[in-house]
């Protein structure tokens, strides 16, 4: 899943390394640099969807859980 917020920041959700889902933010600058801003230890569950709105960044996992990004990288 890929999401773009109103300021143009790009986020992508993945299965991650070893199956733990991750959400990445594109670092910009015209390169290919992405930063993992969050990883979920959710029974080796992929992140199926990422949603960005004025209230925050949310990720839905394959186990049916929804996580809200708290801004601290977890």
């Amino acid at each position: 899943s890929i999401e773009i917020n109103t300021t143009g920041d790009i986020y992508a959700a993945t299965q991650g390394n070893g199956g733990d889902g991750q959400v990445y933010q594109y670092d910009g600058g015209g390169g290919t640099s992405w930063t993992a801003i969050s990883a979920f230890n959710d029974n080796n569950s992929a992140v199926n969807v990422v949603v960005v709105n004025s209230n925050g960044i949310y990720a839905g996992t394959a186990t049916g859980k929804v996580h809200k990004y708290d801004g601290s990288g977890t």
Side-chain angles (χ1 to χ4, degrees), residues 3-74:
E3 181 79 3
I4 302 172
N5 68 9
T6 57
T7 61
D9 297 321
I10 303 170
Y11 301 88
T14 70
Q15 182 171 339
N17 295 328
D20 289 334
Q22 295 178 314
V23 175
Y24 291 87
Q25 181 179 15
Y26 180 63
D27 293 336
T32 58
S33 182
W34 292 81
T35 299
I37 63 167
S38 201
F40 308 97
N41 185 5
D42 190 6
N43 297 323
N44 293 324
S45 180
V47 177
N48 290 341
V49 64
V50 61
V51 175
V52 179
N53 64 28
S54 61
N55 294 317
I57 302 169
Y58 300 87
T61 66
T63 60
K65 295 180 181 176
V66 176
H67 300 267
K68 181 178 181 184
Y69 179 61
D70 65 11
S72 67
T74 58

